[in-house]
Amino acid sequence: MSMPTPPGDQNPVGQAPTGQDPWGPRPAGPAPSYWPPYPIPVPQPRNGMGITALVLGLTGVVLGLTVLLFWLSWLPALLAVVFGFVGLSYARRGLATNKAMALAGVVLGGVGLLISAGVGVFFVVVAKEVADDGRAEAARVKAEAAAEEEKEKAEEKARHLSFGQSYTFENGLKVTVAKPQPFDPREPVFGHAEGNKAVEVTVTVVNTGTERLSVESGLPSVNDANGASTELVIDGSGRQKVLTGYVLPGKEAVGKYAFSLPSDAAGKAEVEFTPDAKRWANAYWSGPTS
């Protein structure tokens, strides 16, 4: 008695299809499905430090060569060196690909620092020289002013003389004022009050130069013992003579003048005289009148 064939799959597993050698190769079936491998993320190179170092290095060098901004160059140059070394460190560890750029930043940063230091030293030296020159000029001006003041004091002292002494002005006129002598006015008299003491002042001018010289202001002024100006006496004696005109080389001119001094201030007098009031300061002769 034969077994019936089960329903469903007519080719059970392990059995070759009808008409096929059970020991031969199996027929090709559908290709198995292919799944590609999951992509592994690749890290991006960290080149920012090298780029920054290069830019800062260039900035430091440019600022260092600028006269007005050199004092700012040290900061970007220093940062270029720091960032450059960080970039080189990244490149050595394979984290960056711009080693040359980082190295260039370090070099430029170093150059920028050297330029900044050099220009800074140069300006310090120049500033010191300018300051030294300024101090020297100030000292020279001060010394000249002191010398000029001493000269003026010496000249002022030299212009104060006693009666009978001589003073030579810069144009070569030597002036001597004699001690005032008593003067007896004759009528008519102008400028002499009753009770006053009249004195005669004699001024002698000698030309010590080689050219004729003029006496532009031949009238002296006289101050009494109290420092008050006295009045010029004019009388009818004709004894007074006014210095005026030219004095030839080697020649002298004599002027005679009378002044009225108050009786209470007649014991001493001071005479001021200059041959040219526009050019030469007065010289002074003083002393007792009796």
Side-chain angles (χ1 to χ4, degrees):
M1 181 174 165
S2 61
M3 296 294 293
T5 302
D9 190 4
Q10 301 299 318
N11 293 310
V13 177
Q15 294 184 5
T18 307
Q20 181 178 351
D21 184 3
W23 304 106
R26 292 179 176 274
S33 300
Y34 174 76
W35 297 92
Y38 186 79
I40 301 175
V42 179
Q44 296 295 322
R46 301 165 66 178
N47 293 332
M49 289 295 180
I51 297 173
T52 304
L54 181 61
V55 173
L56 289 174
L58 290 172
T59 303
V61 171
V62 172
L63 291 178
L65 297 176
T66 305
V67 176
L68 298 179
L69 300 176
F70 77 93
W71 55 278
L72 293 174
S73 64
W74 68 270
L75 182 57
L78 179 61
L79 292 176
V81 173
V82 174
F83 290 157
F85 277 117
V86 174
L88 289 175
S89 175
Y90 285 172
R92 283 195 297 269
R93 290 183 291 169
L95 301 178
T97 60
N98 61 343
K99 179 179 180 181
M101 191 175 293
L103 181 61
V106 172
V107 173
L108 290 175
V111 172
L113 288 175
L114 291 177
I115 293 176
S116 177
V119 175
V121 171
F122 171 77
F123 273 92
V124 168
V125 172
V126 171
K128 184 177 182 301
E129 290 182 354
V130 171
D132 291 342
D133 292 342
R135 285 192 291 268
E137 180 65 17
R140 184 186 66 80
V141 172
K142 184 177 180 180
E144 289 181 354
E148 186 66 23
E149 183 178 358
E150 289 297 325
K151 181 180 178 182
E152 291 177 358
K153 288 182 180 180
E155 291 178 352
E156 180 70 18
K157 183 178 180 180
R159 290 200 304 271
H160 287 75
L161 307 103
S162 299
F163 289 129
Q165 293 182 326
S166 300
Y167 179 80
T168 302
F169 290 84
E170 293 184 30
N171 62 351
L173 288 179
K174 183 172 72 172
V175 178
T176 305
V177 176
K179 179 180 178 180
Q181 300 296 320
F183 181 79
D184 184 16
R186 297 179 184 179
E187 296 293 339
V189 181
F190 301 94
H192 181 63
E194 184 178 355
N196 283 3
K197 177 182 179 180
V199 295
E200 183 181 67
V201 175
T202 301
V203 179
T204 303
V205 177
V206 179
N207 185 351
T208 63
T210 58
E211 298 179 356
R212 69 174 188 170
L213 299 173
S214 63
V215 180
E216 300 292 340
S217 177
L219 184 65
S221 61
V222 178
N223 302 318
D224 60 23
N226 294 329
S229 297
T230 60
E231 191 171 357
L232 179 68
V233 176
I234 299 176
D235 70 345
S237 66
R239 288 172 291 176
Q240 299 184 48
K241 182 180 179 182
V242 178
L243 283 170
T244 185
Y246 291 95
V247 181
L248 298 177
K251 301 299 182 178
E252 72 175 23
V254 179
K256 294 181 179 292
Y257 312 87
F259 291 88
S260 179
L261 281 69
S263 59
D264 60 345
K268 184 178 180 181
E270 181 184 65
V271 179
E272 301 178 25
F273 181 81
T274 176
D276 189 344
K278 295 180 179 179
R279 299 177 62 189
W280 320 114
N282 284 326
Y284 304 86
W285 288 262
S286 61
T289 58
S290 58

